[in-house]
Every structure is written in structure tokens, then in C-alpha cells.
Amino acid sequence: MECYDDILTQAFAAMKNAYAPYSKYHVGACVKTKDGTYIQGANIENASYGLSNCAERSAIFAAYSQGYRKQDIVSLAIVSDGKRIGTPCGACRQVLVELLEKDTPIVLSNGKDTLVTTIAELLPMSFDSEDLS
Ligand SMILES: [Zn+2]
């Protein structure tokens, strides 16, 4: 299996920046690009709850904001301090199906267990850009 230690280390470092005073559920994410750049994200909560932003969206929006696109992304890591591996919420899955290649590795970990998956596996039969072309 390919080694994801580098991106997992980056994602766990990002998790330390989580702003989660309400849920106390800390999530970190990292996008690794083909030019060797690591772009971190963390979950950022809000007292109005609905305006909270998940770590994986923070990271991938930052990557796109810096000019990267799906074909530039090698892998995405999402880590949490939960009892079990945290998987992306439904909203994030819809975002990731838009902004990642279908077969880009998504590495999930809670520090004890690690799972490698793809957005195709996480969101089968998705509604996406192909439906509108
Ligand atoms: Zn989410």
C-alpha cells in the first residue's frame, strides 16, 4: 500500500487548529498537490451551527483558492479525534465529487485506524457536472 504518512502528519497538525468549541469534535484535513504542496484545513464552527465549515471543505477550498484544480491533487487526508474513523458528511461528499477526480485517494484516520477510499466509493450514483454537460 502506498505510504500516506506525510499527508496524515499534515492533517493531524491541521487538526490542532480546529475551532470546535461546541461539538468538541476536532477534524483536520490536508490536500497534497502534484507539485509537493500541502494545503491544510480544519473544522471551523459557529454559534449558529449551520455556518460551521468542515475541515475537508476548508482544505479543498483553500487549494482551489490558490489556483489548484482536481487534476493537480494527489490525495486528500481527513483525520479526527473521534472514537471511530470519521467519514465526510453528506454536504462534503457533494463538494468533493465536484472538486476531486473520482479515483483520487481519500485517506481517513482517527489515529488508531486508517482507511483509504475514493469519492466514487463514498458517493455512488452522484449528481455531478456530467449531468449538466
Ligand atoms: Zn462535512
Side-chain angles (χ1 to χ4, degrees), residues 53-57 87-93:
N53 203 56
C54 300
E56 54 272 53
R57 271 184 288 150
T87 64
C89 75
C92 284
R93 292 179 197 212

Side-chain angles (χ1 to χ4, degrees), residues 106-125:
I106 300 174
V107 190
L108 307 172
S109 180
N110 64 348
K112 297 191 294 281
D113 301 308
T114 300
L115 173 72
V116 183
T117 184
T118 62
I119 194 56
E121 198 168 61
L122 289 167
L123 190 62
M125 298 178 68

